[in-house]
């Protein structure tokens, strides 16, 4: 994937926004267990009492607290609480507070007068211990704290004791409290606060219900925010991956359009199709997973660890056990599956290749009754791919149940250890539940990464294959400093000592080719199979570059011209006629980007002898052409290809054996029409028929990559034995006028 990192540059802003939403989503998910813990601990176990600092207390209770408080504590408590009564409140305030605190009718009350978290956190520990002492003394268990006579009011006696003696008693009490877990102190103090509230007349059911509803509402709000963040992440990740896929397809296609025949030889057509579709789809899928999981997993995992340790450190080793189990599983699966993923894309290429060959050559397959042979070839390729897919699927089948087993085992371990700590008063039930959820989130983060580890190898292979296309060095390209094309280009074409051999080959295909093709003349090429005719023609539009020598267009080396400018001057009709999906009209106008006028189209149709069969069609020029021109004959395809080149009105026409599918009458009529209508252009014709080229001003005879004859038809019959043999193999001496 690192090979395609630069392709993410246009999406950096969207990726950063996505990451911000991932942090928001993780924050909401990590916040929920704490709120759930509050509902269990505070809402259910503590009846909605949030801390050990009472909201309200009686004067008598305040006096008892002051007995066991030092000077600093007394000062803080005095600043924190305010004494209220009928005489200190307005009538409206009094009526409001009486409903909330019914005991206010009979006596004055101390009400909490601060919401400072620092003050509450400072007061909570020592108030908890004081409430436990007060509760024990009120229940008659004061002998364990202080030796007082039985049957007396202990608080009255304690108020009369000097400060030094009270401090000694507190030291003795603190020593006894050290043996008590903090949880027991807290729960005992909370029980006293609850009884104190009930004595004041506070509705504890209402407090509990309001607290649970408030926390539940907060959880609902946080969940909605998390859902919104998740939707935003899904939307943005889908948009980024789709944009990346579109960009990659566009770049791959544009790169392929610049390939010369040499580059095409390095990639099969099936492979290029797979790279443009399946491989890019794999990268898209990984991009979505990366944005939604790879980035999210560490945020959730690290956040989960921090929250879990803050909740309880004594069970931290359970997280390590779960993570190690997950990592072991992932490493084993990764090592097993990696080789298969590397092989999978090659097998997809193979299936595409076999399918394409079978569909393209279906007529030949039927003619030779080789359906069974092709079926076996397809079955072999399909079975190989199926076996690999099944292997990967089985790996995934093993992965999920094993993951669930690990997660459930970790849950049971937390419950087992946590239950003992709850029994000992070390933690509360809500803390254990929160720790369990944080542990599951941590394990889920590793599970996400493990899922990515399964997809990553295949995506990595796909990314490498796409990168191979994008980074392929182009051999045929524009010059660094192209020369301006002469505006008075007439189409004078010169080959000067041209030799050519294919890249990587040792033997020359063409050797020492020199000739001149002039405007207004027809230059024809003929020779046996493999003599180099089509190769020579392909050098002109620079489908290949010459190995030695020069090709000049009006005195200018074609390698010094822009490819677009050069090819704009050429009308090319290939040996194998190619039509595109669309209409007859769109195919004819193809070379002129649909700018050709109706008059130009009709003229090209007339010259190409295509008018008759077009008129026979119900929709005429608007008749549909199937993919590859499958719904027209070979001769019709050739005529439409010729018409397409004629509409372009180039200076040079190249006909690479483009009349082979035409009957003799149509061939003669077409050549006669071209001689009249495009007499100012340079015509280059490759042909096998002597009748097609016998009237050409110059005929070049090729044999084994060399020119063995050059001249007119009559001159070659006298001077070139190769031409004479070809001519006599097709026509009689009378027809040749020997």
């Amino acid at each position: 994937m690192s090979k395609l990192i630069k392709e993410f540059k246009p999406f950096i802003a969207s990726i950063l926004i996505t990451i911000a939403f991932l942090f928001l989503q993780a924050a909401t998910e990590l916040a929920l267990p704490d709120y759930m813990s509050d509902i269990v601990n505070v809402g259910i176990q503590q009846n909605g009492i949030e801390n050990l600092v009472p909201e309200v207390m009686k004067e008598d209770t305040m006096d008892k607290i002051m007995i066991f408080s030092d000077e600093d504590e007394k000062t803080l408590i005095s600043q924190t609480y305010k004494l209220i009564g009928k005489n200190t409140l307005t009538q409206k305030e009094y009526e409001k507070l009486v409903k909330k605190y019914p005991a206010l009718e009979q006596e004055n009350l101390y009400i909490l007068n601060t919401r400072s978290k620092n003050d509450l956190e400072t007061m909570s520990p020592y108030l908890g211990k004081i409430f436990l002492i007060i509760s024990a003394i009120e229940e008659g268990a004061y002998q364990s704290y202080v030796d007082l006579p039985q049957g007396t009011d202990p608080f009255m006696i304690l108020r009369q004791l000097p400060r030094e003696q009270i401090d000694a008693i507190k030291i003795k009490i603190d020593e006894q409290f050290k043996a008590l877990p903090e949880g027991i102190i807290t729960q005992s103090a909370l029980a006293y606060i609850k009884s104190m509230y009930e004595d004041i007349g506070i509705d504890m059911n209402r407090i509990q219900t309001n607290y649970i509803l408030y926390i539940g509402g907060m959880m609902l709000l946080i969940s909605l925010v998390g859902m919104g963040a998740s939707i935003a992440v899904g939307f943005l990740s889908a948009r980024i991956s789709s944009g990346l896929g579109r960009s990659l397809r566009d770049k791959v296609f544009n790169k392929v359009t610049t390939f010369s025949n040499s580059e095409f030889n390095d990639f099969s057509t099936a492979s290029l199709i797979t790279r443009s579709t399946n491989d890019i789809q794999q990268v898209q899928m990984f991009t979505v997973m990366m944005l939604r999981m790879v980035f999210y997993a560490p945020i959730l995992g690290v956040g989960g660890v921090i929250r879990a340790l803050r909740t309880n450190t004594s069970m931290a080793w359970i997280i390590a056990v779960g993570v190690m189990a997950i990592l072991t599983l992932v490493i084993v699966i990764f090592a097993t599956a990696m080789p298969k993923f590397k092989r999978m894309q090659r097998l997809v290429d193979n299936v595409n290749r076999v399918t394409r060959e079978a569909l393209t050559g279906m007529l030949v397959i039927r003619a030779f009754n080789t359906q069974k042979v092709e079926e076996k070839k397809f079955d072999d390729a399909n079975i190989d791919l199926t076996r690999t897919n099944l292997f990967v699927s089985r790996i995934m089948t093993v992965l999920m149940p094993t993951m669930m087993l690990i997660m459930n085992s970790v849950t049971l371990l937390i419950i087992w250890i946590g239950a003992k700590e709850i029994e000992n008063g070390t933690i509360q039930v809500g803390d254990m539940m929160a720790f369990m959820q944080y542990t599951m989130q941590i394990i889920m983060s590793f599970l996400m990464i493990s899922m990515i580890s399964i997809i990553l190898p295949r995506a990595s292979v796909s990314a490498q294959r796409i990168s191979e296309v994008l980074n392929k060095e182009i051999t045929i390209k524009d010059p660094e400093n192209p020369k301006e094309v002469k505006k008075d280009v007439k189409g004078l074409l010169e080959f000067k000592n041209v030799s050519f051999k294919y890249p990587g080959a040792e033997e020359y295909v063409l050797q020492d080719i020199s000739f001149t093709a002039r405007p207004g003349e027809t230059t024809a090429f003929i020779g046996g199979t493999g003599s180099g005719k089509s190769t020579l023609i392909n050098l002109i539009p620079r489908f290949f570059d010459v190995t030695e020598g020069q090709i000049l267009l009006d005195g200018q080396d074609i390698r010094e011209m822009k490819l677009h400018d050069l090819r704009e001057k050429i009308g090319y009709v290939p040996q194998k006629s190619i039509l595109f999906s669309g209409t007859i009209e769109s195919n004819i106008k193809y070379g002129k980007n649909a700018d050709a006028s109706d008059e130009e189209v009709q003229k090209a149709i007339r010259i190409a002898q295509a008018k008759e069969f077009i008129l026979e069609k119900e929709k005429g020029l608007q008749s549909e052409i199937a993919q590859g021109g499958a719904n027209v004959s070979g001769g019709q395809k050739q005529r439409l290809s010729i018409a397409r080149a004629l509409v372009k009105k180039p200076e040079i026409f190249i006909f690479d054996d483009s009349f082979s599918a035409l009957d003799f009458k149509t061939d003669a009529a077409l050549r006669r029409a071209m001689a009249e209508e495009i007499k100012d252009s340079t015509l280059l014709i490759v042909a096998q028929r002597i009748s097609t080229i016998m009237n050409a001003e110059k005929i070049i005879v090729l044999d084994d990559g060399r020119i063995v004859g050059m001249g007119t038809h009559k001159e070659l019959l006298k001077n070139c034995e190769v031409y004479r043999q070809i001519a006599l193999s097709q026509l009689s001496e009378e027809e040749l006028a020997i």
Side-chain angles (χ1 to χ4, degrees), residues 317-332:
W317 61 273
I318 298 177
I319 298 175
V321 170
V323 169
M324 289 303 297
I326 294 289
L327 286 177
T328 302
L329 178 65
V330 170
I331 290 170
V332 170

Side-chain angles (χ1 to χ4, degrees), residues 511-569:
Q511 282 185 285
D512 198 26
I513 304 295
S514 298
F515 68 88
T516 301
R518 303 179 184 280
E521 294 183 356
T522 299
T523 302
F525 302 88
I526 196 168
T529 302
S531 59
K533 304 183 297 297
S534 293
T535 301
L536 184 150
I537 289 296
N538 286 335
L539 294 176
I540 299 170
R542 289 190 68 195
F543 295 155
F544 294 103
D545 267 342
V546 299
T547 306
E548 297 172 8
Q550 286 182 303
I551 301 176
L552 305 178
L553 180 58
D554 276 354
Q556 185 173 337
D557 193 321
I558 62 172
R559 289 172 294 187
E560 297 176 349
M561 301 170 62
K562 286 185 178 180
L563 287 169
H564 177 271
D565 294 341
L566 170 64
R567 291 167 183 172
E568 196 67 21
K569 307 297 179 185

Side-chain angles (χ1 to χ4, degrees), residues 159-177:
R159 287 189 190 98
Q160 298 171 0
L161 293 176
R163 185 73 249 171
E164 293 80 7
Q165 194 170 348
I166 294 293
D167 290 341
I169 293 171
K170 283 184 66 177
I171 292 171
K172 183 179 179 182
I173 292 170
D174 286 339
E175 289 177 355
Q176 292 185 3
F177 279 174

Side-chain angles (χ1 to χ4, degrees), residues 75 83 87 187 211 213 244 330 337 407 410 458 461 557 657:
T75 302
L83 183 66
N87 298 328
Q187 292 302 316
Y211 181 84
L213 288 176
L244 178 67
V330 170
M407 292 175 68
V410 169
R458 189 172 183 182
V461 171
D557 193 321
D657 200 11

Side-chain angles (χ1 to χ4, degrees), residues 2 35 53 70 108 118 138 173 199 284 302 363 398 455 483 545 577 695 697 703:
S2 59
Y35 281 99
V53 181
D70 58 28
N108 292 336
N118 289 333
E138 287 179 349
I173 292 170
D199 190 37
Q284 276 187 248
V302 173
L363 294 178
V398 171
I455 298 173
K483 292 185 178 180
D545 267 342
S577 299
N695 294 321
E697 284 78 9
D703 185 38

